[in-house]
Amino acid sequence: MTAVLGLAAARIEEICADCAPLGVVEIANYNEPGQTVISGQRPAVEEAARRALAAGAERAVALKVSAPFHCSLMRAIEDEFAAELERVPFSAPRLPVISSVTGTLVRDGGHARDLLRRQLAGPVRWVDVLGAAAAHAVDGCLEVGPGRCSAASPTAPASTPWCAAPTTRAGSLHCCASSGRSPPLAPPPDPARGPPPARPHRPRRPLPPPLSLSLLPLPPPLLFPSLPLLFPLPSVRCGPPGRYRRNDPSERQPTVSETLTPTSTDYFSAVQAAIADALGIDEAEAVPEATLLGQLGAESIDLLDILFRIERATKVKITVADIAALLQGGIPDEEFGDENEVVNDTGLTHLEKVLPQFDRSQLSEPLTAEGVLGLFTVQNLTDLLTERAAAQHAA
């Protein structure tokens, strides 16, 4: 599976059709007008990604998944899954439910069962879901699930207040409701009239899909390659509505390098603004000592998003691979930690050298490889940006 950013879904459909002789490749997720996920057999998916980039896509990012979800290759397990569904009683929804398979309302229990079967091999039509929600006068949304993957989607109704309520990592439930001031959700639309029209979308620069860090080009060998894959789809960034106006090319903001001679203070401001925009928090919360993945609650997609915003603001490129290289310093895995991926004395000594705030005596338990990235703070990111910028200007 690969996420394609910055290219219309209709054009991606054409590319998938052109690549069909190489194998199965189909759209798996219509996440937003500028973010589409394709799925299928590797040769066809890779070729489709190359053609999408040639056709003008901003980027194509491979997703680390265990199967080619939401494409026809999943039909092999449909019958088995359908047999299990037949054992479960389904009732008609007590409240209107919009299906991500069709982008329309679920009619009854039998329809719900059939949609669950179809979602295995069918695409997630998140753009249609939010278009239907807007057409039905939805003016309030509650996201129940891990992280902030969908809140304040750019395709959501413009005035819709979103509230993210994280629960477990097992899944995510998106609830939409109408207030007493607006008409309630209507019955399924008349087939003769066709599906409800999608809300006009204000173009903005698309943002990366959720990734595990192990997908990124980390320099081998690395001991701590991955964070858990947070993947309730659809994958749309979040934050308070309106925070992304600066992404509109017509409202482009001057970069740091275009407005002043950068200093470490200027770079801290750029980092702080990028974090605030990516996480939907106040800039004042991004204090130098705050850890990105711990105290600020960033996830793997957020880190990629933060670095993307920093590059756009400062013209200085930092990758997750750069952060990984800083933290491990080229020390081989077997010298950085033990067979249980617990960081040893060599690794701890290096971390104390590159992370001024780190003190091994303050550890309450052994530091694992997975926890190393959680030590990285706002100040560490600022220092890395300042160092890279100085090297770039010197070159």
Side-chain angles (χ1 to χ4, degrees):
M1 298 181 72
T2 293
V4 179
L5 294 90
L7 190 63
R11 182 70 184 98
I12 298 174
E13 289 173 349
E14 295 174 354
I15 291 172
C16 289
D18 292 341
C19 294
L22 299 176
V24 174
V25 56
E26 300 162 358
I27 290 184
N29 297 80
Y30 295 87
N31 286 342
E32 59 174 279
Q35 186 189 112
T36 304
V37 178
I38 58 176
S39 180
Q41 294 171 309
R42 185 182 299 273
V45 171
E46 291 177 348
E47 178 60 23
R50 283 192 289 270
R51 295 191 187 190
L53 291 171
E58 291 191 4
R59 65 178 68 182
V61 183
L63 304 180
K64 184 178 180 181
V65 293
S66 58
F69 299 111
H70 301 297
C71 78
S72 57
L73 294 175
M74 298 298 292
R75 291 204 178 105
I77 63 171
E78 265 192 357
D79 291 344
E80 180 182 355
F81 186 53
E84 293 297 321
L85 291 174
E86 288 296 332
R87 300 167 57 184
V88 180
F90 282 77
S91 301
R94 295 185 180 180
L95 297 173
V97 176
I98 301 174
S99 167
S100 64
V101 178
T102 61
T104 61
L105 295 177
V106 177
R107 297 190 301 270
D108 51 42
H111 189 212
R113 180 186 287 110
D114 181 60
L115 289 170
L116 280 176
R117 175 190 62 80
R118 289 167 54 189
Q119 60 85 26
L120 286 175
V124 176
R125 300 183 180 277
W126 186 238
V127 174
D128 291 344
V129 167
L130 293 183
H136 289 299
V138 168
D139 61 5
C141 295
L142 172 67
E143 178 177 355
V144 182
R148 299 173 300 277
C149 284
S150 302
S153 158
T155 49
S159 60
T160 299
W162 283 84
C163 176
T167 52
T168 68
R169 300 176 69 176
S172 183
L173 173 66
H174 306 279
C175 306
C176 304
S178 297
S179 71
R181 299 185 302 275
S182 303
L185 283 172
D190 184 349
R193 298 175 56 189
R199 172 180 172 269
H201 173 62
R202 178 181 181 177
R204 76 175 184 90
R205 188 167 186 170
L207 296 166
L211 302 173
S212 95
L213 293 185
S214 60
L215 301 179
L216 302 169
L218 304 182
L222 287 173
L223 182 63
F224 50 94
S226 63
L227 292 176
L229 182 66
L230 303 176
F231 209 70
L233 289 173
S235 54
V236 185
R237 269 275 5 110
C238 75
R243 293 198 71 93
Y244 296 105
R245 291 180 59 86
R246 69 179 60 191
N247 289 338
D248 190 329
S250 66
E251 299 180 2
R252 178 182 174 277
Q253 303 295 312
T255 67
V256 170
S257 60
E258 291 173 335
T259 57
L260 42 80
T261 301
T263 66
S264 59
T265 301
D266 300 322
Y267 285 124
F268 173 71
S269 298
V271 169
Q272 197 175 43
I275 292 171
D277 281 351
L279 302 183
I281 63 175
D282 291 333
E283 290 188 11
E285 296 180 58
V287 294
E289 65 272 15
T291 56
L292 296 175
L293 274 64
Q295 294 165 330
L296 296 182
E299 298 168 0
S300 55
I301 181 179
D302 299 318
L303 184 56
L304 191 63
D305 189 2
I306 290 166
L307 299 179
F308 175 73
R309 292 173 184 276
I310 288 173
E311 180 183 357
R312 187 173 56 198
T314 67
K315 300 300 183 183
V316 179
K317 183 178 181 64
I318 297 177
T319 67
V320 177
D322 296 330
I323 297 175
L326 170 71
L327 293 176
Q328 193 164 349
I331 301 173
D333 288 357
E334 63 274 12
E335 297 178 20
F336 195 86
D338 61 22
E339 65 277 5
N340 296 316
E341 295 193 351
V342 174
V343 181
N344 60 22
D345 184 69
T346 299
L348 294 174
T349 299
H350 173 72
L351 290 173
E352 286 181 321
K353 177 181 178 181
V354 298
L355 301 178
Q357 79 282 1
F358 177 64
D359 181 359
R360 74 173 76 186
S361 67
Q362 300 300 314
L363 292 174
S364 58
E365 58 186 18
L367 177 65
T368 63
E370 186 176 355
V372 170
L373 192 58
L375 302 173
F376 205 67
T377 66
V378 175
Q379 186 62 54
N380 296 148
L381 181 55
T382 303
D383 292 343
L384 179 58
L385 174 63
T386 304
E387 177 186 327
R388 287 301 172 91
Q392 182 172 302
H393 286 300

